[in-house]
Amino acid sequence: MNSLTFNIDDLFLSHRDSLIHTIFGIVGCPQTAEDLAHEAYIKMLHALEIQDISYPRPFLYQIAKNLALDHLRKERIRQRADDSKTADTDEDISLLDNLPDDTPTPEQQASDQQELALMLAALEQLPERRRQILVLHKFHHWNYERIAAYYDISRSAVEKNVQAALTHLLASRQD
């Protein structure tokens, strides 16, 4: 774990409703959404045992999204099996058949990995405190006042650090 430690329980509890809402939007069932949110929490706990997670909130949401999509795939397989047992008609079009495939192409994956590597390299170029201030603000959603109190600096200094860091990151994308 890096210097920006977090408590997974607090993270989960503070984002539980939003996580369930996000999953519900994918699966359409409130009970399943709650079950999958809990499963995402368990998977996150297991992941933390074997690796450092720099951005826990997006990681948790990605686990949840993957679980929801896996659930939909399993439901589609079950539905097809049930349909083949009852009748061989194509009258009932599964909701999943109308969902676009959001799996990135190999080219998109390579491009995304390259962009991520460039962004991480740009982050590494930032002074340590500026990087930490940016991470606290953008990824941990701390407000300027909280960061200012944490570092014992002015709100204005926090704003300037965030702005300078973002400017640096944007400039590195255009190189």
Side-chain angles (χ1 to χ4, degrees):
M1 192 72 33
N2 61 22
S3 63
L4 299 174
T5 59
F6 66 96
N7 183 324
I8 181 62
D9 297 332
D10 292 342
L11 175 75
F12 179 72
L13 291 175
S14 66
H15 293 283
R16 181 180 177 275
D17 292 340
S18 174
L19 197 62
I20 290 171
H21 180 74
T22 300
I23 297 169
F24 175 77
I26 297 171
V27 300
C29 173
Q31 293 83 11
T32 301
E34 282 193 38
D35 291 343
L36 292 176
H38 185 260
E39 190 174 342
Y41 166 74
I42 300 293
K43 284 191 175 286
M44 178 100 171
L45 286 175
H46 291 297
L48 285 168
E49 293 175 1
I50 59 173
Q51 67 187 18
D52 283 351
I53 299 172
S54 299
Y55 307 110
R57 183 176 168 267
F59 189 80
L60 178 63
Y61 276 80
Q62 188 61 51
I63 291 172
K65 179 183 174 188
N66 291 346
L67 287 171
L69 293 173
D70 287 346
H71 174 79
L72 289 178
R73 286 183 196 104
K74 289 175 187 174
E75 284 298 310
R76 181 171 32 180
I77 291 168
R78 283 188 205 116
Q79 184 65 38
R80 285 183 181 164
D82 290 345
D83 287 348
S84 68
K85 290 178 186 176
T86 57
D88 290 332
T89 64
D90 291 329
E91 293 175 12
D92 294 326
I93 298 175
S94 172
L95 175 63
L96 292 175
D97 291 337
N98 293 326
L99 287 178
D101 185 13
D102 66 349
T103 305
T105 64
E107 295 83 9
Q108 184 63 46
Q109 287 177 335
S111 173
D112 290 349
Q113 287 175 348
Q114 184 178 18
E115 188 171 339
L116 177 62
L118 290 171
M119 196 60 59
L120 290 174
L123 268 173
E124 288 297 320
Q125 293 171 352
L126 291 170
E128 180 68 22
R129 188 165 93 168
R130 182 167 288 164
R131 180 174 52 247
Q132 288 178 354
I133 288 171
L134 179 69
V135 168
L136 287 172
H137 181 64
K138 289 296 183 185
F139 298 104
H140 294 278
H141 305 288
W142 283 26
N143 62 31
Y144 291 146
E145 290 78 15
R146 184 174 178 189
I147 296 169
Y150 182 78
Y151 283 104
D152 196 26
I153 59 177
S154 70
R155 183 184 196 282
S156 175
V158 173
E159 290 174 3
K160 289 175 185 172
N161 273 283
V162 169
Q163 185 61 40
L166 290 174
T167 300
H168 173 76
L169 294 178
L170 288 173
S172 72
R173 287 187 74 193
Q174 297 171 356
D175 291 341

